Amino acid sequence: MDALERELRQHRLWTLKPEFARFRVYDELLENEFRAPAEQAVRMARAVRGMVSFAAASSPFYTALFKRLALTAGDIEEPGDLARLPTLTKHDLLESASELLVPRLPPGEKLHKATKSSGTTGRPVAVMHTVNSTVMFGLLRQRTARWHELDPMQSRIDVRPRFDIFRRPDGSTIADGEYTSLPQWHYLGLHFHTGPEYGINVSTPMERQVEILQRLRPAYATSFPGVFEEWLLANSGRKPVDSLQAIIGIGAQLTPSLRARLEASYGTPVHMSYGLNEIGKVATRCKAGRYHVNTEQCLVQIVRDDGSPCAPGEVGRVLVTGLNNAAMPLIRYDTGDLAEAVDGPCPCGRTLPSFGDIAGRYRSYAGLPAGSRERVRAVRVAIEAYPPDGLTFLRRYQLHQDLQDRYMLRLRTVSPVPDAFRRHVLKAWEPVLGSPPSPLAIVEVDEIAAAPSGKLIDFLSDFHTDWSLALRPTAQAPVPAGT
Ligand SMILES: [Zn+2]
């Protein structure tokens, strides 16, 4: 069976409700995934030209930028020409939000709402979206679910920060410890026949999350990859509920070692998609391990620090250009993420442009002493590779770096830390100790707070003062756990 046929078989699991039976847009999304590469390139160039000429004419920020650079929109004919424009940083977005906003929308476009994301600085970044941009965000959910081979008639659960979980009918958000339930999947249930969907705030204590999972028995779960790891920790290292057939990670980070551990412990695939509130659904990871770009929504370019394109195999910055948000065009937006550039056809058979694994956020290590990334990695890998049966004492962990480049591994535990675990972590530390040495202390704490966004932070550095102020654990004086 060829790739297209396989995809059509998945697509047929999705039955439109009678009132949408003539809706063709989901079929078009599928057709777009298999167009000849040359046609993909032509369509992308046309979309880029359209967005650039619109932005240059309508967004005060881009009108001024083109003038300053003595460029016209006609100088940008294809994606490669975008390198003539500077990247747009999160800082630019914060400082120039009002200039980026298009004062008068073209006919047929309507303002919808602003999305906010916290970014790494903790200052919220707000991006205004049109109705069209928001609708595309929703439509692409079907592509993502189809690629992950989900059966829409099964149940799913979403575990996210409170304000990202769908509201009760009266508009209120749920409290920690509660869950919401909808008779159909959020958004996709409007158009398709689906099973039920549930939601939990990610800040709900993990033991309670496991209880809720065991009561609701969902087939699919969506959350940050770190949450899937904590469910294991909260359930003596075992899969929290045997009903789970697939887990779907959101956000950027899933290390190969955590993927391996989750797949082994859950006995299910771990799927990933990559989205940004500033843009929408950017890309979905296929079974062959590539992230294919949702070209209906954006263009992705992987570049070096100087802005030039990366060669295949090279890891560089992920720049995204939005293609359908007329309210606030973002061109060469620097996501703060790193990914590998790839070339050539993907074994999965889809022809949408793609990039390789996301290698983490470079901002997390910018300005940190040499060796920081390797040390954090050593600890993560050591914990992820530890036998699950041996981790029953642990509920959450966080590595902390102080301004003297000393490290503290904080453990929130329910029973004493076994000596074998300490030895295992300290042994993993030896090769990254460095010179002068960066010591590692292992301590037990009462609580480890999540970030204001609800994300679980497993590494905290005092070199990032904004993070450390916001995230100081509630236990100010950690109690050393033995010697
Ligand atoms: Zn692929």
Side-chain angles (χ1 to χ4, degrees):
M1 193 166 33
D2 76 358
L4 175 59
E5 242 174 272
R6 216 166 26 238
E7 204 61 46
L8 282 167
R9 202 171 59 170
Q10 283 299 321
H11 193 47
R12 280 186 214 108
L13 294 177
W14 295 80
T15 311
L16 285 164
K17 291 182 170 175
E19 61 271 39
F20 295 102
R22 296 159 68 90
F23 212 33
R24 279 270 303 136
V25 65
Y26 293 104
D27 304 315
E28 283 166 24
L29 288 180
L30 191 150
E31 286 159 18
N32 286 349
E33 295 159 22
F34 293 93
R35 295 185 191 284
E39 191 189 345
Q40 299 280 25
V42 168
R43 292 165 74 101
M44 182 51 90
R46 192 164 57 214
V48 165
R49 280 197 300 274
M51 184 43 89
V52 166
S53 58
F54 171 75
S58 312
S59 154
F61 179 91
Y62 284 109
T63 306
L65 179 70
F66 274 80
K67 194 170 170 205
R68 198 163 70 238
L69 298 174
L71 288 174
T72 69
D75 293 322
I76 311 295
E77 290 186 9
E78 47 149 14
D81 297 332
L82 287 173
R84 301 178 71 171
L85 304 178
T87 61
L88 181 76
T89 62
K90 281 204 165 121
H91 182 77
D92 296 331
L93 195 48
L94 275 168
E95 299 304 317
S96 308
S98 52
E99 292 81 50
L100 282 158
L101 207 56
V102 170
R104 283 187 53 180
L105 289 176
E109 295 276 10
K110 273 203 303 221
L111 275 189
H112 183 59
K113 63 171 183 183
T115 58
K116 277 192 183 153
S117 44
S118 58
T120 47
T121 62
R123 279 176 72 187
V125 179
V127 172
M128 188 58 78
H129 286 266
T130 59
V131 171
N132 281 337
S133 158
T134 311
V135 166
M136 183 54 76
F137 210 126
L139 298 176
L140 288 166
R141 287 169 182 247
Q142 192 258 353
R143 170 179 288 162
T144 301
R146 172 161 51 75
W147 286 19
H148 296 158
E149 299 182 357
L150 307 190
D151 174 348
M153 297 314 293
Q154 302 268 9
S155 59
R156 60 183 304 268
I157 192 163
D158 227 8
V159 182
R160 294 180 195 243
R162 170 177 306 190
F163 291 99
D164 294 340
I165 296 288
F166 58 85
R167 311 274 170 115
R168 291 205 191 84
D170 68 359
S172 62
T173 58
I174 56 168
D176 286 357
E178 299 179 328
Y179 64 87
T180 51
S181 65
L182 274 183
Q184 56 194 15
W185 286 14
H186 187 46
Y187 194 87
L188 286 173
L190 293 173
H191 294 158
F192 295 101
H193 291 289
T194 72
E197 173 164 330
Y198 310 106
I200 319 180
N201 292 341
V202 71
S203 44
T204 293
M206 290 297 157
E207 289 84 353
R208 172 68 184 147
Q209 293 191 23
V210 169
E211 268 174 36
I212 296 173
L213 291 168
Q214 291 173 349
R215 178 180 313 168
L216 300 174
R217 302 188 52 78
Y220 310 125
T222 301
S223 195
F224 306 111
V227 169
F228 301 133
E229 185 185 25
E230 295 213 25
W231 287 351
L232 296 174
L233 296 176
N235 195 47
S236 306
R238 294 188 308 272
K239 183 175 176 174
V241 61
D242 61 6
S243 59
L244 283 175
Q245 296 167 31
I247 51 179
I248 299 124
I250 50 173
Q253 279 217 336
L254 178 62
T255 56
S257 54
L258 182 56
R259 172 183 293 281
R261 172 159 143 74
L262 292 177
E263 290 188 339
S265 301
Y266 281 81
T268 57
V270 182
H271 300 297
M272 289 294 285
S273 63
Y274 174 58
L276 298 166
N277 286 332
E278 301 92 311
I279 298 281
K281 284 207 167 292
V282 172
T284 300
R285 190 175 185 271
C286 73
K287 270 187 170 169
R290 287 195 188 185
Y291 285 85
H292 290 273
V293 178
N294 294 315
T295 52
E296 298 84 358
Q297 192 130 50
C298 59
L299 163 82
V300 170
Q301 294 172 303
I302 312 292
V303 304
R304 301 179 182 135
D305 286 346
D306 66 5
S308 62
C310 284
E314 230 178 301
V315 170
R317 299 180 177 211
V318 179
L319 304 186
V320 182
T321 296
L323 296 174
N324 65 1
N325 184 13
M328 207 162 156
L330 302 180
I331 299 174
R332 285 167 72 76
Y333 176 61
D334 190 336
T335 61
D337 292 319
L338 295 169
E340 185 190 349
V342 298
D343 198 16
C346 182
C348 80
R350 300 181 181 97
T351 56
L352 291 173
S354 58
F355 55 90
D357 258 333
I358 297 171
R361 303 184 69 87
Y362 62 81
R363 292 230 169 83
S364 319
Y365 299 97
L368 266 51
S372 298
R373 184 189 294 270
E374 290 69 27
R375 291 186 187 110
V376 174
R377 190 176 171 280
V379 170
R380 276 191 189 137
V381 169
I383 295 175
E384 288 161 9
Y386 202 70
D389 292 351
L391 285 175
T392 51
F393 69 93
L394 183 63
R395 287 296 176 267
R396 182 174 283 187
Y397 66 89
Q398 184 178 66
L399 187 64
H400 176 253
Q401 178 187 35
D402 74 12
L403 292 171
Q404 279 81 51
D405 204 15
R406 294 177 303 198
Y407 286 75
M408 186 181 281
L409 176 61
R410 295 168 169 150
L411 305 173
R412 184 165 82 76
T413 58
V414 290
S415 57
V417 180
D419 285 340
F421 177 82
R422 289 173 178 281
R423 284 195 303 271
H424 173 76
V425 173
L426 292 172
K427 190 164 173 50
W429 192 260
E430 280 169 20
V432 294
L433 184 63
S435 166
S438 294
L440 173 70
I442 299 176
V443 300
E444 291 178 44
V445 295
D446 293 335
E447 193 45 87
I448 295 171
S453 68
K455 283 187 191 170
L456 305 164
I457 306 296
D458 63 0
F459 171 56
L460 200 60
S461 173
D462 284 348
F463 290 93
H464 293 153
T465 47
D466 45 356
W467 273 123
S468 59
L469 287 173
L471 292 171
R472 189 77 61 193
T474 49
Q476 288 295 327
V479 184
T483 48

